[in-house]
Amino acid sequence: MPKHDDPTTTLPGTGPEPTAPAPPPPPSGPAPAGPGYRAVFRVREFRIVFVAHLFSLLGVVVSELALTVLVYELTRSPLLSSLTFALGFLPYLVGGTLLAGLTDRLPPRRILVVCDLVCAGCVALMIVPATPVAVLLALRCAVAVVSPVFNGTRMATLADILGEGDLFVLGRSLLRIVSQSALLAGFAVGGVLLTVVPPRGALAVTATTFLVSALLLRLGTARRPARAAGRAAAGGLSGTWAVLRNRRVRALMLMFWVPPLFAVVPEALAAPYADRIGVSTAALGLLMCALPVGTIAGELFAGSFLTASTRSRIVLPLALTGVLPYLLYAVEPGVALAAVALFLAGATGAYTLGLDAWFVAAVPEEQRGRAMTLMTAGMMTVQGIGMAGAGVAAEFAPVHTVVAGTGVLGTLCLLAAAAELRAAGATEGRDGADRHVPHG
């Protein structure tokens, strides 16, 4: 996706879009604790976004697996094959900083549709047999560059669709749950697909999923104007700095970024740990699944049974204890105890429901798309850094010591982040009535 400095510039192949009617007002008061998720699905436009999210996720996960297999078949190089996965993290930083301004300067539906079309086009080029490996990796980078723009725009659009109250929180939670579930089911689906069709055939399927997502978003969501223009939508690094100058927003982003930096360590080291304790590949699968299963369970419980005010009150307690279960690795546990530790660590991820509410309350509406894009890009980038750091540390210390050390170091960093959060007053909303109303 090209970078534009003129806020009136439109993307190629699109025409002017009329102003949409004003978004619905935020729901009055928190949604009921029990039927909250059902209330979100009663919003027709959210249902469209949710289904499009499913297709887009399927495309991302299956294309990653198929492209990895394809690169290995062409090169027989484990390094290039693994690099295909790494390229899914690194370009997030580029797209999240340089292209984040597009999310507020252009109509959101247009951005979402064009991003899906860019992904479909890149995957379509991967299918061509004459495409060299270097171009395949470059196309993988291109998909990763537009991903934070797409995700940030979709997050900001949820606030337009659901309001800024509890429905927004629950809608964000549902999309996260789907994303975590994709980690469990996506590779299984891709593996089965690759037993039936060759890698390029699987890529053809994923190109179709991106096109379906684009069609759903184009026909099923409302046209809305750009959130900002002119100076408020400054492009590039200057616009990024305009968001980060806000201490409250910086503190909240830090709270989003620090936990995943350390949370990914056991996942990155699951294979060498399983080898160290001498367990089967089935046990390795259990270790890989425990963390996302815990995350899904924690989000479902918090979204279904806790009120908005309760979810807000538990943000810091859950976040600060998020990596403490990793201390169980100090005794070099077996698979069962290690899986319990990972499940508990994943369940603390329910803190994000309340943190989402603080974040949307702190960010000015005209900067919302950029801020959410930066937050998403940062989360993906720190996960890549955390995985790389874990690998380096495991070269010099036993795997279980590295994971247990992560529990100590991560908790200290989280304490520092929480102190900055308190100092910035970021745990308060726009006014007294909204101070403890989370939104996701």
Side-chain angles (χ1 to χ4, degrees):
M1 178 180 297
K3 173 179 174 290
H4 299 284
D5 293 320
D6 179 5
T8 63
T9 302
T10 58
L11 294 177
T14 58
E17 298 195 19
T19 301
S28 57
Y37 286 126
R38 290 196 295 273
V40 175
F41 277 117
R42 283 196 290 268
V43 179
R44 176 188 173 279
E45 198 172 355
F46 174 80
R47 294 198 301 270
I48 299 295
V49 172
F50 182 83
V51 174
H53 182 56
L54 289 176
F55 278 99
S56 182
L57 265 179
L58 179 63
V60 169
V61 175
V62 176
S63 65
E64 285 180 349
L65 180 59
L67 184 59
T68 301
V69 174
L70 177 61
V71 169
Y72 184 73
E73 286 183 355
L74 293 174
T75 65
R76 294 297 169 182
S77 169
L79 174 61
L80 289 176
S81 180
S82 62
L83 183 61
T84 306
F85 270 114
L87 290 175
F89 288 96
L90 301 180
Y92 257 78
L93 186 60
V94 176
T97 53
L98 298 182
L99 302 181
L102 292 174
T103 58
D104 292 319
R105 292 165 52 212
L106 297 171
R109 187 179 72 176
R110 188 180 308 173
I111 296 173
L112 294 174
V113 172
V114 170
C115 284
D116 265 336
L117 293 178
V118 168
C119 291
C122 289
V123 174
L125 290 175
M126 295 176 189
I127 300 170
V128 179
T131 305
V133 172
V135 175
L136 290 175
L137 296 180
L139 292 169
R140 177 72 181 95
C141 284
V143 172
V145 165
V146 303
S147 291
V149 179
F150 180 89
N151 292 334
T153 302
R154 184 180 57 206
M155 288 168 59
T157 302
L158 278 185
D160 299 329
I161 295 172
L162 299 173
E164 298 176 9
D166 202 43
L167 286 184
F168 172 69
V169 176
L170 296 174
R172 282 272 295 131
S173 173
L174 281 170
L175 295 187
R176 278 196 300 265
I177 289 170
V178 171
S179 297
Q180 289 293 331
S181 301
L183 296 176
L184 301 175
F187 288 121
V189 171
V192 171
L193 185 61
L194 287 171
T195 64
V196 180
V197 297
R200 285 194 171 90
L203 288 171
V205 172
T206 64
T208 303
T209 64
F210 285 122
L211 291 174
V212 171
S213 174
L215 185 64
L216 286 170
L217 292 170
R218 177 63 182 82
L219 300 179
T221 60
R223 292 180 291 183
R224 295 180 172 86
R227 291 182 181 81
R231 190 174 179 184
L237 296 177
S238 61
T240 298
W241 176 240
V243 173
L244 296 178
R245 274 200 301 265
N246 185 324
R247 185 183 182 186
R248 180 178 294 188
V249 173
R250 284 201 315 271
L252 287 165
M253 284 192 179
L254 195 64
M255 208 64 198
F256 275 110
W257 294 342
V258 173
L261 174 65
F262 297 98
V264 297
V265 170
E267 181 182 11
L269 299 178
Y273 185 72
D275 180 65
R276 179 179 177 87
I277 62 177
V279 296
S280 65
T281 54
L284 172 60
L286 178 61
L287 292 177
M288 295 292 288
C289 291
L291 189 67
V293 167
T295 302
I296 293 169
E299 289 237 9
L300 284 174
F301 179 83
S304 300
F305 299 108
L306 301 183
T307 63
S309 59
T310 301
R311 293 197 298 266
S312 187
R313 286 194 295 268
I314 64 176
V315 168
L316 292 182
L318 285 181
L320 292 176
T321 57
V323 293
L324 281 178
Y326 294 173
L327 294 177
L328 290 174
Y329 272 76
V331 298
E332 199 169 2
V335 172
L337 186 57
V340 169
L342 294 172
F343 180 89
L344 292 175
T348 64
Y351 81 91
T352 53
L353 278 77
L355 192 61
D356 278 336
W358 297 348
F359 190 71
V360 80
V363 177
E365 183 178 356
E366 66 274 10
Q367 294 180 330
R368 186 176 291 157
R370 181 190 294 272
M372 290 185 173
T373 299
L374 289 171
M375 185 262 284
T376 302
M379 289 181 67
M380 291 297 294
T381 302
V382 299
Q383 288 180 69
I385 294 172
M387 290 180 177
V392 172
E395 292 290 327
F396 301 96
V399 172
H400 70 284
T401 303
V402 173
V403 178
T406 297
V408 176
L409 180 60
T411 301
L412 293 175
C413 291
L414 283 165
L415 286 170
E420 172 61 15
L421 196 67
R422 288 290 192 187
T427 58
E428 297 181 356
R430 281 184 287 253
D431 55 50
D434 291 336
R435 281 184 183 175
H436 297 293
V437 180
H439 51 77

